Amino acid sequence: MHLFHIRLTAVLLGTSLLAGSAASAQFRSRALRWSADGNAVVTIANGAITRTDVRSGQETPIITTAQLTPAGAKTPISVADFAFSRDSTQVLIFTNTARVWRYNTRGDYYLLNRQSNQLRQVGPKQPAQSLLYAKLSPDGKRVAYVSKNNLYAEEVATGKVTQLTTDGTRKRINGTFDWAYEEEFGCRDGFRWSPDSKQILYWQVDASGIRDFLMINNTDSIYSFTIPVEYPKVGEAPSPTRLGVVNATGGSTRWLPLPGDPAQHYLVRAEWFPSSAGDPAGRVIVQQLNRKQNQSTLFVCQTAKNTATPIFTETDNAWIDIKARWDRDDPTGWEWTQNGNAFLWVSEKDGWRHIYQISSDGKQQTLLTPGNYDMSELERIDERGGYVYFTASPDNATQRYLYRVALNSKGQETGPRPAERLSPTTLAGTHGYDISPNGTLAMHTFTNRSTPSARAWVSLPDHAIVRGNAPKANTAKGKNVRFFTVTTAENVTLDGWMALPTDFDSTKRYPIVFYVYGEPAGTTTNDVFSAGQNDLFAGDMAKEGYIYAALDNRGTPTLKGAAWRKSIYRQIGRINIRDQAQGAQALFKQHSFIDTSRVAVWGWSGGGSTTLNLLFQYPAIYKTGIAVAAVANQLTYDNIYQERYMGLPQENRDDFVSGSPITHAKNLRGNLLYIHGTGDDNVHYANAEMLINELIKYNKSFQMMAYPNRSHGISEGAGTRQHLSSLYTSFLKTHCPPGGR
């Protein structure tokens, strides 16, 4: 149930065109591609590739549309992404993309020789749109890619192709991942070039033992057909996964000797040590999670000696988050420091999410961010300057600010220095940054409840504007959104916001609509301009006379410490539901202008589940509910997500049952609209039919809308979004009428 944000970096070098890892030229998720000197960014503009000086704004063409036009063609290829070789003589172009589950990661690749201007297709004998994650070797002599679950290496000079794996099938996956790894760990790109360009490290996922969930398509032909998805339901053992090393010239794979049953653990991260670590034989560092995801072990593997040595182990009473949680959902790369002799690590072992520096043998650990606060995201390591940049908000969990701490504590007898805030104190809200490799420049974005997102180029650490306009907080009263805290009957303080009606009159009583999520994958009360807005409502809720509100319960991934976030362990569908209901009751006591006879709630995915549980478990509070793509039965969802937060149903099945909406469906008294796409590969449509059966069993009236072949986002097909919005709005207005009384 995760939503992933894609960022991208390309690697370049000798002529200092782009910055990036020296490991290989590859596509990485970052918003900006910075030049190695940190003074410019490289972007796709008008179908070409352009270098823009950050301070002056001067644009310099790097790759023209003429260079991107194949021989004999009249139009250039469309550039979806690009990556340069280390010496910048070759550029790899990603084009003609196609969707794989959520993102367009499959397509065609072209290689442009910038010296000869020769443009040729990579893997021309492979099916169209079948290549994934192509990347140049560090020496620029080969490009590797995945096609139809096999791994290939192709010589740049000759075009000679070597097939490195031959056993790839729909369920034996080489160099990429299955549905569950992608959805829940953010793992997509499943191979890595060695620093010397001679070997490739890759994942192999064996999903042959995972049963298919069959989605049925009734509309695209006269006879219906099924669409199989290998999908490990909660309680089912994971797909056995292993890591192998193969020579770029071909040959047999050498599998890393990682201990344990591969069907009872996950391999969530793996990277080569950098060449600067002085290791010609090649070492690999691997993160292994046990099946319950409450024990993480780091192994250093000597590929030549075929050994795997554990260097660092961490345990938790609930679960351990991986890099995708604190690096914008991108688990690739390793945060090396000291030329590969140390690395940065994020841990909650002292109750807060902190950054540590750990020696490569695991024997030395230094806490870099001490204090009773959580870091949010790691933004940049500037080792030359001696700082680590990260976002945090120690005093207000709904906001985000940029901080930095000294990377090395040499000469600091009293311990690490406190974090230094760089974001302006005059701008309260949510700040975002994409920082140059040397930490001197950044693209700065700012928003808050009343200020649309604004951006400008700034210098660091002084945060002075170098290009663009300085963001200013909007103090206009046009958007009547109030942020607040409310304390429940169990003495839990929740963050929340309320958008009041446009012509608000405190002597009248207005209907209230709660927007909910409530699970560990997301929050709803961030101080951003979209707070108080409902894109599904056809019209303006404030002008219609609704109060629109949100609360974040315990268990949401906000910056309130590990105890807050992990209190939901084995309690999804219970503790979060209780917090939401008690928070609503406390809000009603504070504000007499809320009409408690007109209370509605809605949510999507995990928010749909929360909506159902609130409507069923607290029917005296919530009179109307709209649930979209909800998990009605926790036993239907995937093993990685559900077992991480709920344990194993073989051991505590009652927790899954007690927290599932279908268990409480018999209590429905209000008005329910249930919406689901029949082609949802994430939260399967089976949830809808299980819930319908339960409601029928107890003679409960409700409304239902199934969108044929639509996925979890219900966005495919002509007219879909407009229809969904109209349906949502009509139901809400009918059963929770707007306006003050």
PDB file of all heavy atoms in Angstrom, residues 546-566:
ATOM      1  N   TYR A 546     -19.297  22.493   3.885  1.00  0.00           N
ATOM      2  CA  TYR A 546     -18.773  21.356   4.644  1.00  0.00           C
ATOM      3  C   TYR A 546     -17.575  21.778   5.494  1.00  0.00           C
ATOM      4  O   TYR A 546     -16.788  22.649   5.093  1.00  0.00           O
ATOM      5  CB  TYR A 546     -18.290  20.251   3.702  1.00  0.00           C
ATOM      6  CG  TYR A 546     -19.364  19.415   3.066  1.00  0.00           C
ATOM      7  CD1 TYR A 546     -19.647  19.557   1.704  1.00  0.00           C
ATOM      8  CD2 TYR A 546     -20.074  18.472   3.808  1.00  0.00           C
ATOM      9  CE1 TYR A 546     -20.619  18.773   1.102  1.00  0.00           C
ATOM     10  CE2 TYR A 546     -21.044  17.686   3.209  1.00  0.00           C
ATOM     11  CZ  TYR A 546     -21.322  17.840   1.856  1.00  0.00           C
ATOM     12  OH  TYR A 546     -22.283  17.058   1.264  1.00  0.00           O
ATOM     13  N   ILE A 547     -17.416  21.124   6.632  1.00  0.00           N
ATOM     14  CA  ILE A 547     -16.148  21.129   7.350  1.00  0.00           C
ATOM     15  C   ILE A 547     -15.387  19.895   6.878  1.00  0.00           C
ATOM     16  O   ILE A 547     -15.935  18.785   6.890  1.00  0.00           O
ATOM     17  CB  ILE A 547     -16.355  21.052   8.877  1.00  0.00           C
ATOM     18  CG1 ILE A 547     -17.166  22.243   9.380  1.00  0.00           C
ATOM     19  CG2 ILE A 547     -15.004  20.994   9.595  1.00  0.00           C
ATOM     20  CD1 ILE A 547     -17.598  22.097  10.836  1.00  0.00           C
ATOM     21  N   TYR A 548     -14.171  20.079   6.458  1.00  0.00           N
ATOM     22  CA  TYR A 548     -13.342  18.969   5.990  1.00  0.00           C
ATOM     23  C   TYR A 548     -12.184  18.839   6.966  1.00  0.00           C
ATOM     24  O   TYR A 548     -11.533  19.844   7.300  1.00  0.00           O
ATOM     25  CB  TYR A 548     -12.841  19.255   4.575  1.00  0.00           C
ATOM     26  CG  TYR A 548     -12.229  18.072   3.856  1.00  0.00           C
ATOM     27  CD1 TYR A 548     -12.772  16.796   3.956  1.00  0.00           C
ATOM     28  CD2 TYR A 548     -11.105  18.237   3.044  1.00  0.00           C
ATOM     29  CE1 TYR A 548     -12.216  15.724   3.272  1.00  0.00           C
ATOM     30  CE2 TYR A 548     -10.551  17.178   2.341  1.00  0.00           C
ATOM     31  CZ  TYR A 548     -11.102  15.918   2.475  1.00  0.00           C
ATOM     32  OH  TYR A 548     -10.560  14.857   1.795  1.00  0.00           O
ATOM     33  N   ALA A 549     -11.894  17.603   7.436  1.00  0.00           N
ATOM     34  CA  ALA A 549     -10.939  17.449   8.530  1.00  0.00           C
ATOM     35  C   ALA A 549     -10.117  16.180   8.384  1.00  0.00           C
ATOM     36  O   ALA A 549     -10.496  15.243   7.665  1.00  0.00           O
ATOM     37  CB  ALA A 549     -11.675  17.437   9.865  1.00  0.00           C
ATOM     38  N   ALA A 550      -8.982  16.151   9.062  1.00  0.00           N
ATOM     39  CA  ALA A 550      -8.125  14.968   9.097  1.00  0.00           C
ATOM     40  C   ALA A 550      -7.430  14.893  10.446  1.00  0.00           C
ATOM     41  O   ALA A 550      -7.121  15.920  11.067  1.00  0.00           O
ATOM     42  CB  ALA A 550      -7.092  15.006   7.967  1.00  0.00           C
ATOM     43  N   LEU A 551      -7.181  13.673  10.888  1.00  0.00           N
ATOM     44  CA  LEU A 551      -6.435  13.393  12.117  1.00  0.00           C
ATOM     45  C   LEU A 551      -5.410  12.303  11.824  1.00  0.00           C
ATOM     46  O   LEU A 551      -5.673  11.404  11.034  1.00  0.00           O
ATOM     47  CB  LEU A 551      -7.370  12.901  13.232  1.00  0.00           C
ATOM     48  CG  LEU A 551      -8.475  13.833  13.727  1.00  0.00           C
ATOM     49  CD1 LEU A 551      -9.460  13.052  14.599  1.00  0.00           C
ATOM     50  CD2 LEU A 551      -7.870  14.996  14.514  1.00  0.00           C
ATOM     51  N   ASP A 552      -4.262  12.387  12.463  1.00  0.00           N
ATOM     52  CA  ASP A 552      -3.273  11.311  12.360  1.00  0.00           C
ATOM     53  C   ASP A 552      -3.177  10.582  13.691  1.00  0.00           C
ATOM     54  O   ASP A 552      -2.806  11.161  14.715  1.00  0.00           O
ATOM     55  CB  ASP A 552      -1.896  11.852  11.959  1.00  0.00           C
ATOM     56  CG  ASP A 552      -1.691  11.839  10.457  1.00  0.00           C
ATOM     57  OD1 ASP A 552      -2.280  10.966   9.796  1.00  0.00           O
ATOM     58  OD2 ASP A 552      -0.954  12.698   9.942  1.00  0.00           O
ATOM     59  N   ASN A 553      -3.513   9.305  13.660  1.00  0.00           N
ATOM     60  CA  ASN A 553      -3.546   8.472  14.853  1.00  0.00           C
ATOM     61  C   ASN A 553      -2.178   7.870  15.145  1.00  0.00           C
ATOM     62  O   ASN A 553      -1.238   7.990  14.357  1.00  0.00           O
ATOM     63  CB  ASN A 553      -4.569   7.349  14.663  1.00  0.00           C
ATOM     64  CG  ASN A 553      -4.381   6.631  13.338  1.00  0.00           C
ATOM     65  OD1 ASN A 553      -5.083   6.952  12.371  1.00  0.00           O
ATOM     66  ND2 ASN A 553      -3.448   5.691  13.258  1.00  0.00           N
ATOM     67  N   ARG A 554      -2.077   7.193  16.280  1.00  0.00           N
ATOM     68  CA  ARG A 554      -0.870   6.416  16.579  1.00  0.00           C
ATOM     69  C   ARG A 554      -0.658   5.362  15.493  1.00  0.00           C
ATOM     70  O   ARG A 554      -1.613   4.788  14.981  1.00  0.00           O
ATOM     71  CB  ARG A 554      -1.006   5.730  17.935  1.00  0.00           C
ATOM     72  CG  ARG A 554      -0.824   6.641  19.131  1.00  0.00           C
ATOM     73  CD  ARG A 554      -1.080   5.902  20.423  1.00  0.00           C
ATOM     74  NE  ARG A 554      -2.498   5.555  20.581  1.00  0.00           N
ATOM     75  CZ  ARG A 554      -2.987   4.849  21.592  1.00  0.00           C
ATOM     76  NH1 ARG A 554      -2.169   4.375  22.540  1.00  0.00           N
ATOM     77  NH2 ARG A 554      -4.277   4.604  21.668  1.00  0.00           N
ATOM     78  N   GLY A 555       0.595   5.133  15.159  1.00  0.00           N
ATOM     79  CA  GLY A 555       0.919   4.151  14.134  1.00  0.00           C
ATOM     80  C   GLY A 555       1.205   4.760  12.786  1.00  0.00           C
ATOM     81  O   GLY A 555       1.774   4.093  11.919  1.00  0.00           O
ATOM     82  N   THR A 556       0.816   6.019  12.567  1.00  0.00           N
ATOM     83  CA  THR A 556       1.176   6.686  11.318  1.00  0.00           C
ATOM     84  C   THR A 556       2.653   7.082  11.388  1.00  0.00           C
ATOM     85  O   THR A 556       3.178   7.352  12.464  1.00  0.00           O
ATOM     86  CB  THR A 556       0.292   7.919  11.081  1.00  0.00           C
ATOM     87  OG1 THR A 556       0.296   8.735  12.265  1.00  0.00           O
ATOM     88  CG2 THR A 556      -1.126   7.503  10.760  1.00  0.00           C
ATOM     89  N   PRO A 557       3.343   7.132  10.235  1.00  0.00           N
ATOM     90  CA  PRO A 557       4.798   7.319  10.237  1.00  0.00           C
ATOM     91  C   PRO A 557       5.225   8.774  10.378  1.00  0.00           C
ATOM     92  O   PRO A 557       6.015   9.297   9.585  1.00  0.00           O
ATOM     93  CB  PRO A 557       5.208   6.752   8.880  1.00  0.00           C
ATOM     94  CG  PRO A 557       4.040   7.037   7.999  1.00  0.00           C
ATOM     95  CD  PRO A 557       2.832   6.861   8.879  1.00  0.00           C
ATOM     96  N   THR A 558       4.720   9.440  11.392  1.00  0.00           N
ATOM     97  CA  THR A 558       5.063  10.829  11.613  1.00  0.00           C
ATOM     98  C   THR A 558       6.255  10.921  12.562  1.00  0.00           C
ATOM     99  O   THR A 558       6.692   9.913  13.146  1.00  0.00           O
ATOM    100  CB  THR A 558       3.847  11.601  12.151  1.00  0.00           C
ATOM    101  OG1 THR A 558       4.105  12.995  12.093  1.00  0.00           O
ATOM    102  CG2 THR A 558       3.504  11.177  13.573  1.00  0.00           C
ATOM    103  N   LEU A 559       6.787  12.126  12.736  1.00  0.00           N
ATOM    104  CA  LEU A 559       8.035  12.303  13.488  1.00  0.00           C
ATOM    105  C   LEU A 559       7.759  12.487  14.979  1.00  0.00           C
ATOM    106  O   LEU A 559       8.033  13.525  15.571  1.00  0.00           O
ATOM    107  CB  LEU A 559       8.804  13.498  12.929  1.00  0.00           C
ATOM    108  CG  LEU A 559       9.110  13.468  11.431  1.00  0.00           C
ATOM    109  CD1 LEU A 559       9.970  14.667  11.032  1.00  0.00           C
ATOM    110  CD2 LEU A 559       9.799  12.169  11.033  1.00  0.00           C
ATOM    111  N   LYS A 560       7.248  11.423  15.602  1.00  0.00           N
ATOM    112  CA  LYS A 560       6.935  11.467  17.031  1.00  0.00           C
ATOM    113  C   LYS A 560       7.607  10.340  17.800  1.00  0.00           C
ATOM    114  O   LYS A 560       7.173   9.993  18.902  1.00  0.00           O
ATOM    115  CB  LYS A 560       5.414  11.400  17.240  1.00  0.00           C
ATOM    116  CG  LYS A 560       4.669  12.639  16.754  1.00  0.00           C
ATOM    117  CD  LYS A 560       3.192  12.574  17.122  1.00  0.00           C
ATOM    118  CE  LYS A 560       2.481  13.864  16.751  1.00  0.00           C
ATOM    119  NZ  LYS A 560       1.047  13.842  17.168  1.00  0.00           N
ATOM    120  N   GLY A 561       8.645   9.768  17.231  1.00  0.00           N
ATOM    121  CA  GLY A 561       9.370   8.712  17.920  1.00  0.00           C
ATOM    122  C   GLY A 561       8.887   7.330  17.548  1.00  0.00           C
ATOM    123  O   GLY A 561       7.762   7.132  17.073  1.00  0.00           O
ATOM    124  N   ALA A 562       9.770   6.352  17.777  1.00  0.00           N
ATOM    125  CA  ALA A 562       9.467   4.975  17.400  1.00  0.00           C
ATOM    126  C   ALA A 562       8.281   4.418  18.176  1.00  0.00           C
ATOM    127  O   ALA A 562       7.504   3.624  17.648  1.00  0.00           O
ATOM    128  CB  ALA A 562      10.694   4.100  17.606  1.00  0.00           C
ATOM    129  N   ALA A 563       8.141   4.800  19.442  1.00  0.00           N
ATOM    130  CA  ALA A 563       7.041   4.263  20.252  1.00  0.00           C
ATOM    131  C   ALA A 563       5.695   4.643  19.646  1.00  0.00           C
ATOM    132  O   ALA A 563       4.765   3.831  19.621  1.00  0.00           O
ATOM    133  CB  ALA A 563       7.147   4.772  21.690  1.00  0.00           C
ATOM    134  N   TRP A 564       5.582   5.872  19.158  1.00  0.00           N
ATOM    135  CA  TRP A 564       4.341   6.308  18.490  1.00  0.00           C
ATOM    136  C   TRP A 564       4.087   5.476  17.246  1.00  0.00           C
ATOM    137  O   TRP A 564       2.999   4.939  17.046  1.00  0.00           O
ATOM    138  CB  TRP A 564       4.447   7.785  18.125  1.00  0.00           C
ATOM    139  CG  TRP A 564       3.351   8.274  17.217  1.00  0.00           C
ATOM    140  CD1 TRP A 564       3.268   8.121  15.860  1.00  0.00           C
ATOM    141  CD2 TRP A 564       2.164   8.969  17.601  1.00  0.00           C
ATOM    142  NE1 TRP A 564       2.112   8.692  15.373  1.00  0.00           N
ATOM    143  CE2 TRP A 564       1.417   9.210  16.422  1.00  0.00           C
ATOM    144  CE3 TRP A 564       1.672   9.422  18.822  1.00  0.00           C
ATOM    145  CZ2 TRP A 564       0.211   9.888  16.433  1.00  0.00           C
ATOM    146  CZ3 TRP A 564       0.470  10.090  18.835  1.00  0.00           C
ATOM    147  CH2 TRP A 564      -0.258  10.320  17.659  1.00  0.00           C
ATOM    148  N   ARG A 565       5.111   5.363  16.405  1.00  0.00           N
ATOM    149  CA  ARG A 565       4.930   4.684  15.125  1.00  0.00           C
ATOM    150  C   ARG A 565       4.644   3.198  15.300  1.00  0.00           C
ATOM    151  O   ARG A 565       3.846   2.609  14.557  1.00  0.00           O
ATOM    152  CB  ARG A 565       6.176   4.895  14.250  1.00  0.00           C
ATOM    153  CG  ARG A 565       6.357   6.327  13.791  1.00  0.00           C
ATOM    154  CD  ARG A 565       7.502   6.465  12.809  1.00  0.00           C
ATOM    155  NE  ARG A 565       8.807   6.311  13.441  1.00  0.00           N
ATOM    156  CZ  ARG A 565       9.487   7.296  14.004  1.00  0.00           C
ATOM    157  NH1 ARG A 565       8.977   8.518  14.030  1.00  0.00           N
ATOM    158  NH2 ARG A 565      10.678   7.086  14.533  1.00  0.00           N
ATOM    159  N   LYS A 566       5.288   2.576  16.281  1.00  0.00           N
ATOM    160  CA  LYS A 566       5.211   1.123  16.393  1.00  0.00           C
ATOM    161  C   LYS A 566       4.173   0.629  17.397  1.00  0.00           C
ATOM    162  O   LYS A 566       4.024  -0.578  17.602  1.00  0.00           O
ATOM    163  CB  LYS A 566       6.598   0.573  16.711  1.00  0.00           C
ATOM    164  CG  LYS A 566       7.553   0.836  15.541  1.00  0.00           C
ATOM    165  CD  LYS A 566       8.954   0.347  15.758  1.00  0.00           C
ATOM    166  CE  LYS A 566       9.807   0.652  14.520  1.00  0.00           C
ATOM    167  NZ  LYS A 566      11.200   0.201  14.650  1.00  0.00           N
TER     168      LYS A 566
END
